[in-house]
Amino acid sequence: MPKKTVKFADKHQGKTAKSTDKSGKVPKPALKQKQPAAVPAPTTQSNGKRSSKKRAAEILEESDSENDSDYGQITLDAGSSDEEEVETQENDLDENDSDIEEFPELSISSDEEDSEEEDDDAQEDEEEDEDDDYMAGDSLDEADLEEEEFNKQKPALEKLPEIEANYDSDSSTEETENTVGNIPADWYKDLPHIGYDVDGKKILKPATADELEKFLATMDDPDSWKTVRSDKEGKDVVLNDEEMDIIQRLQRGIIPDADYNPYEPTVEWFTSKTEEMPLSARPEPKRRFIPSKWEAKKVMKIVKAIRQGRIVPRKPKDEKPRFYNLWGDDDKPREDHVMHIVAPKMKLPEHDESYNPPEEYLPDEEEVKQWHDLDPEDRPKNYLPKKYKSLRHVPAYDRFIQERFQRCLDLYLAPRVRKNRLNVDPDSLIPKLPSPKDLQPFPTVQSLSYEGHTARIRCLSVHPSGLFIISGSDDHTIRMWEVSTGRCLFMWQFKDVIHAIAWNPNPDLWLFAASIGHGEVLLISPPKLGSGEIVMATDQYIKSGFTRPVSDEEKSRQVISWTKPSEKDEEKYGFKVRLQHSQTVKQITWHRKGDYFATVAPDARQVLIHQATKHQTQSPFSKLKGIVQKVAFHPIKPIFFVATQIYVRVYDLMQQQLVKTLQPGVKWISSIDVHPGGDNVIIGSYDKKVAWFDMDLGARPYKSLRYHEKAVREVTYHRRYPLFASASDDGSIQVFYGMVYNDLLQNPLIVPVKILKGHENKDGLGVLNIEFHPTQPWIFSSGADGSLRLWT
């Protein structure tokens, strides 16, 4: 707002000084006043008063022009109401009114004090007016008298002290060039002006330089480091030393005011002594002592809204995009549902709905009876046409509410959206699988049952020639059978459970490995059954490790002990070597060449690889991630598969590094087998799944098969035919046709061909182990019911 500069005569200065003193403000020194010389009084008192007003007005005008330096400028930045009062004062001084108005005081005093001051001022006015009257018989005219009086008053005026606007932290007196008011700057973000002044004219934004000009300006300006941008005023402000000191103090975490002492002595505004008599004898209200129910309800209401999602705490604000695509059509409003269909209108009434329909529309008794006999949903119309003499006789429609309700249901429940339906034959979606008859041969019926074991048969293994089979049971025996006849050829009796058995895959060796009891592994050559040459070759093959010289360093590095059985056990049972592990060995698997074999002891978290010819054992994994369930050698490459509970890790034994980690997506892996080609792996799990992996496709299963109702115990591939099978605790064996093509672009073909059932469930266990015949499309199975069967 524009400022007004108001100067007052000495009389008004005296009054304001007195009033400010009363109202608690800094008192100003009063002006010294000389009494004017006695002048002749006019005939009437009113005449004298009028002349005194004139004199006061003229003195005010002259003092404006001449005595600016004496008084100093008193600048009052007041509101509009005060300015209006000042204007009225000036007008009143110009005109000849009844009284001289007082200058409105800037004070915070009460109304009573104001009224007292007004009375005092009125009395002073009267006294001064009387003093200013003419004395009778004075020869001076009015102009001379006024000039003489002004000259007498002139030396009495003193310079007033300047008003120091020391309001400490009050920022209400700070002047800003921006006079648009306290409005959000976002309103005018995209406009050339920042707002409007008091006259309604636009206040244009100052010109802003581009980034290059700003950079050059900062390079030339030594004060650029302490220059900040004021968005309200739209210009750069250079901070003074005091403001820089405040900022530095804030950065250091110190109180901004340098003169403030936080450790001043306490001022007891209220006495610390407890009064004996209270200020009020009213009893304390109950609400001071109990929690507010209303506040608890309000808080619970907010909590409920947060839980329901109606209030989202700390929800990020939707920021408007800074940049817009001027040439894009995305800003055009479009319908939410492009495929929306408008609700159909109700059917218009027909002739038979008239209150007076033609005779041919009225049903006869037989038609009425048929209509009543039909169910409501089967009736062609939900009403019967009736005839009335006049409209007055038509009763209220009894189905009105039901019809309205059904219409409402149709409007808001029936989805009216266009759906592009594809006319697809469901049969065409089913993959075209070949007929199982075209995929033969595969095992279909049980041919033989090998009787002899009295407890569950945990493991079995078939000789590479396919003529013999061995089985290990919980009755502490290992039996050797002739495949074609089912005759038991030899039996080994032990003192503990047989956990695992595996024939050496080399057909030139007459040898198998067996895990018995708590960590004992025996290499056994069945006596009196093999040909002399093969038995002799096997004996030399195994015993060569005992003759090899062993250094002390190798002895210290040996993980387990290789010991030679007694000659009596060797002659009678064919025991060749005994290996003693620290924990129970649950799996034994041979390398295809027959020299190396691996043992798995899950309780010891141990996987060991043994060399039969050198009697050496090594632990390839210093630390295993997870409990190892099964391991397998790659049939061609030096690759080793290690199956933990949920992953299968593939290691390269030559480079001694991890090649790949397969993720079957099952909860607990039970078994693993590798395809003879080496590019495919199947995994069985205790959560009823069989996963087929194509090693070239990735770490996820190519197919997940779930045909069993209970845990899958064993999976196996056939070495010659495109067959694989899975055995489960539900007592069934699922046989699949799994063709792997040489063409890399063609995925494997997997077809379920046969379910073999015959084993009985016992103690929740079904088929425990299966293995294909090495040359024929036959499969051997052993179960918890103590039976060993051949399916052909």
Side-chain angles (χ1 to χ4, degrees):
M1 297 294 294
K3 299 178 200 158
K4 281 191 186 284
T5 305
V6 185
K7 301 180 181 65
F8 303 97
D10 56 340
K11 178 168 67 178
H12 298 93
Q13 283 291 341
K15 287 179 198 172
T16 49
K18 187 201 302 180
S19 62
T20 49
D21 195 7
K22 277 185 186 180
S23 56
K25 293 187 180 176
V26 180
K28 306 281 185 294
L31 300 175
K32 291 182 182 175
Q33 215 173 344
K34 275 193 178 181
Q35 293 292 339
V39 288
T43 54
T44 58
Q45 191 180 355
S46 61
N47 227 3
K49 280 183 182 177
R50 192 176 295 119
S51 64
S52 66
K53 288 177 209 162
K54 257 183 200 174
R55 283 199 305 273
E58 287 171 10
I59 288 168
L60 180 69
E61 287 169 9
E62 287 177 14
S63 61
D64 278 345
S65 58
E66 296 173 6
N67 299 332
D68 286 350
S69 60
D70 295 341
Y71 282 90
Q73 288 194 357
I74 302 174
T75 305
L76 296 172
D77 190 6
S80 60
S81 62
D82 294 345
E83 290 163 9
E84 286 171 8
E85 288 180 18
V86 174
E87 287 172 11
T88 55
Q89 285 177 11
E90 291 174 3
N91 293 338
D92 291 349
L93 287 169
D94 293 335
E95 296 170 9
N96 293 328
D97 290 331
S98 59
D99 277 323
I100 295 176
E101 294 272 10
E102 293 179 4
F103 175 69
E105 299 167 70
L106 300 174
S107 70
I108 55 172
S109 60
S110 63
D111 295 335
E112 293 177 4
E113 292 172 350
D114 292 345
S115 62
E116 289 174 9
E117 290 166 19
E118 286 173 10
D119 296 340
D120 295 344
D121 295 343
Q123 288 176 5
E124 287 176 11
D125 283 349
E126 289 177 7
E127 293 169 5
E128 288 169 4
D129 288 345
E130 289 172 5
D131 293 342
D132 292 343
D133 287 348
Y134 283 113
M135 296 296 289
D138 198 338
S139 62
L140 294 171
D141 62 349
E142 278 188 27
D144 295 340
L145 182 64
E146 287 163 3
E147 187 179 351
E148 181 184 327
E149 186 179 350
F150 183 75
N151 291 335
K152 286 178 182 178
Q153 289 177 351
K154 200 171 183 181
L157 297 175
E158 292 182 2
K159 186 176 179 181
L160 294 174
E162 292 184 5
I163 296 174
E164 295 181 9
N166 183 17
Y167 296 107
D168 292 339
S169 62
D170 185 13
S171 62
S172 60
T173 57
E174 293 177 9
E175 283 296 323
T176 57
E177 293 185 8
N178 183 5
T179 59
V180 296
N182 187 16
I183 57 165
D186 296 342
W187 292 358
Y188 301 97
K189 190 171 65 176
D190 301 328
L191 298 173
H193 57 282
I194 189 63
Y196 301 89
D197 61 8
V198 71
D199 300 324
K201 294 178 181 177
K202 293 181 180 178
I203 299 176
L204 297 176
K205 290 180 184 175
T208 56
D210 58 9
E211 295 299 325
L212 183 61
E213 290 176 359
K214 286 181 187 175
F215 175 71
L216 294 174
T218 55
M219 298 303 291
D220 299 338
D221 186 9
D223 294 333
S224 63
W225 65 277
K226 57 179 181 178
T227 305
V228 294
R229 179 79 180 173
S230 172
D231 291 331
K232 191 167 184 180
E233 297 185 32
K235 65 179 184 180
D236 293 334
V237 179
V238 179
L239 301 178
N240 56 30
D241 295 340
E242 187 180 348
E243 290 165 335
M244 291 297 295
D245 181 52
I246 290 173
I247 291 172
Q248 288 169 358
R249 286 174 159 272
L250 287 172
Q251 287 176 338
R252 286 181 289 165
I254 308 173
I255 296 168
D257 189 0
D259 301 329
Y260 177 74
N261 179 17
Y263 306 108
E264 286 180 356
T266 307
V267 178
E268 285 205 2
W269 301 106
F270 302 98
T271 177
S272 59
K273 297 171 185 176
T274 309
E275 296 287 340
E276 291 181 7
M277 291 298 292
L279 297 177
S280 170
R282 189 177 63 181
E284 290 288 324
K286 189 179 177 182
R287 65 174 177 273
R288 299 249 179 107
F289 306 102
I290 59 173
S292 169
K293 287 185 181 178
W294 181 83
E295 284 182 3
K297 281 184 181 178
K298 196 168 185 181
V299 169
M300 284 311 299
K301 192 175 180 182
I302 295 169
V303 170
K304 192 175 180 182
I306 291 172
R307 284 176 181 164
Q308 291 176 350
R310 289 186 281 111
I311 294 176
V312 181
R314 294 178 290 280
K315 182 181 179 183
K317 291 181 181 178
D318 296 334
E319 292 186 0
K320 294 179 181 176
R322 288 180 61 196
F323 308 106
Y324 292 91
N325 183 6
L326 297 178
W327 296 275
D329 298 331
D330 298 336
D331 296 335
K332 292 181 181 177
R334 59 183 180 83
E335 292 181 7
D336 290 340
H337 303 287
V338 181
M339 309 296 282
H340 180 72
I341 300 171
V342 183
K345 292 181 180 178
M346 287 192 72
K347 191 180 171 186
L348 293 172
E350 298 179 359
H351 293 299
D352 56 358
E353 292 185 62
S354 170
Y355 76 95
N356 188 14
E359 294 290 336
E360 60 267 18
Y361 287 102
L362 295 173
D364 52 19
E365 292 180 3
E366 190 177 342
E367 288 174 341
V368 171
K369 188 181 177 184
Q370 287 176 358
W371 187 85
H372 281 296
D373 290 342
L374 289 171
D375 292 327
E377 57 269 11
D378 296 334
R379 291 170 183 165
K381 293 178 180 177
N382 59 358
Y383 61 90
L384 279 173
K386 291 182 181 178
K387 191 178 180 74
Y388 299 98
K389 289 182 180 179
S390 65
L391 202 56
R392 286 185 296 120
H393 295 129
V394 179
Y397 183 41
D398 56 346
R399 287 189 49 79
F400 175 75
I401 294 176
Q402 286 93 325
E403 278 196 2
R404 292 289 92 195
F405 180 66
Q406 289 296 328
R407 175 68 176 166
C408 290
L409 288 182
D410 291 344
L411 287 177
Y412 78 83
L413 284 184
R416 296 182 303 279
V417 178
R418 289 190 189 89
K419 289 187 177 178
N420 298 331
R421 292 187 181 276
L422 300 173
N423 294 325
V424 179
D425 183 16
D427 296 333
S428 65
L429 299 175
I430 300 171
K432 293 283 185 289
L433 294 176
S435 171
K437 292 179 181 178
D438 302 334
L439 304 177
Q440 286 180 341
F442 52 81
T444 53
V445 293
Q446 179 184 326
S447 297
L448 279 174
S449 180
Y450 303 90
E451 303 292 340
H453 286 292
T454 56
R456 66 175 67 137
I457 302 171
R458 289 180 180 268
C459 49
L460 63 93
S461 183
V462 187
H463 189 266
S465 64
L467 300 175
F468 307 101
I469 181 172
I470 50 173
S471 59
S473 169
D474 281 5
D475 59 6
H476 305 170
T477 61
I478 296 176
R479 292 174 182 261
M480 183 173 180
W481 314 85
E482 191 176 18
V483 170
S484 55
T485 60
R487 187 161 55 98
C488 181
L489 301 176
F490 200 89
M491 186 183 80
W492 290 265
Q493 181 72 44
F494 297 96
K495 294 179 181 178
D496 225 325
V497 175
I498 315 301
H499 293 288
I501 282 179
W503 272 107
N504 191 312
N506 188 347
D508 298 332
L509 296 175
W510 183 249
L511 184 71
F512 69 88
S515 167
I516 300 122
H518 190 75
E520 185 183 6
V521 175
L522 286 170
L523 299 184
I524 303 171
S525 177
K528 305 171 187 176
L529 293 173
S531 64
E533 295 177 3
I534 293 178
V535 170
M536 193 178 293
T538 304
D539 204 42
Q540 290 176 356
Y541 186 81
I542 291 299
K543 289 184 177 179
S544 60
F546 290 118
T547 59
R548 190 178 66 88
V550 181
S551 64
D552 295 336
E553 188 181 348
E554 280 187 32
K555 281 183 181 178
S556 63
R557 278 190 298 167
Q558 280 286 16
V559 183
I560 60 167
S561 60
W562 293 66
T563 57
K564 191 174 183 181
S566 63
E567 291 185 6
K568 181 184 175 183
D569 287 344
E570 186 179 353
E571 287 180 15
K572 190 175 180 181
Y573 301 112
F575 298 165
K576 298 295 179 185
V577 181
R578 179 180 278 109
L579 295 83
Q580 187 60 48
H581 294 69
S582 60
Q583 293 289 342
T584 305
V585 174
K586 293 290 179 73
Q587 187 202 6
I588 299 172
T589 181
W590 287 88
H591 189 262
R592 61 185 171 87
K593 291 185 177 178
D595 188 13
Y596 290 92
F597 66 97
T599 57
V600 179
D603 296 339
R605 295 200 172 199
Q606 198 175 49
V607 176
L608 300 176
I609 297 178
H610 314 276
Q611 189 175 5
T613 53
K614 292 184 180 180
H615 292 190
Q616 283 184 339
T617 301
Q618 54 185 333
S619 178
F621 309 107
S622 58
K623 190 176 179 182
L624 285 166
K625 295 179 181 178
I627 301 171
V628 178
Q629 303 297 314
K630 299 282 181 177
V631 296
F633 287 100
H634 194 280
I636 303 164
K637 300 175 184 175
I639 288 176
F640 194 56
F641 295 85
V642 179
T644 58
Q645 284 185 0
I646 53 174
Y647 296 115
V648 178
R649 292 183 169 83
V650 185
Y651 294 95
D652 190 327
L653 294 175
M654 293 291 286
Q655 297 179 358
Q656 297 183 359
Q657 65 181 13
L658 180 68
V659 178
K660 186 184 284 189
T661 301
L662 304 180
Q663 300 172 3
V666 299
K667 294 178 182 175
W668 198 307
I669 294 172
S670 64
S671 51
I672 182 172
D673 198 19
V674 186
H675 191 270
D679 288 336
N680 295 275
V681 179
I682 49 169
I683 290 161
S685 72
Y686 290 119
D687 52 351
K688 313 172 195 176
K689 291 181 184 174
V690 175
W692 175 297
F693 283 91
D694 191 332
M695 298 292 287
D696 298 329
L697 290 181
R700 294 282 179 183
Y702 162 64
K703 279 274 169 64
S704 280
L705 312 169
R706 189 167 177 171
Y707 290 97
H708 290 288
E709 296 174 1
K710 289 187 179 179
V712 177
R713 290 278 167 185
E714 190 68 35
V715 288
T716 181
Y717 278 109
H718 198 289
R719 298 293 160 227
R720 291 193 180 181
Y721 290 92
L723 297 172
F724 69 96
S726 61
S728 169
D729 280 343
D730 58 9
S732 66
I733 301 164
Q734 296 271 359
V735 182
F736 297 88
Y737 179 87
M739 181 56 129
V740 178
Y741 298 98
N742 293 327
D743 185 5
L744 294 175
L745 298 175
Q746 195 166 0
N747 290 330
L749 173 67
I750 300 171
V751 184
V753 290
K754 189 66 181 175
I755 301 173
L756 304 175
K757 289 184 178 178
H759 286 278
E760 296 176 6
N761 277 42
K762 193 172 182 181
D763 301 331
L765 300 174
V767 184
L768 298 177
N769 208 328
I770 53 171
E771 189 172 331
F772 277 105
H773 192 280
T775 54
Q776 300 295 326
W778 303 343
I779 192 168
F780 298 92
S781 66
S782 65
D785 56 356
S787 63
L788 179 66
R789 300 166 191 245
L790 168 64
W791 310 80
T792 58

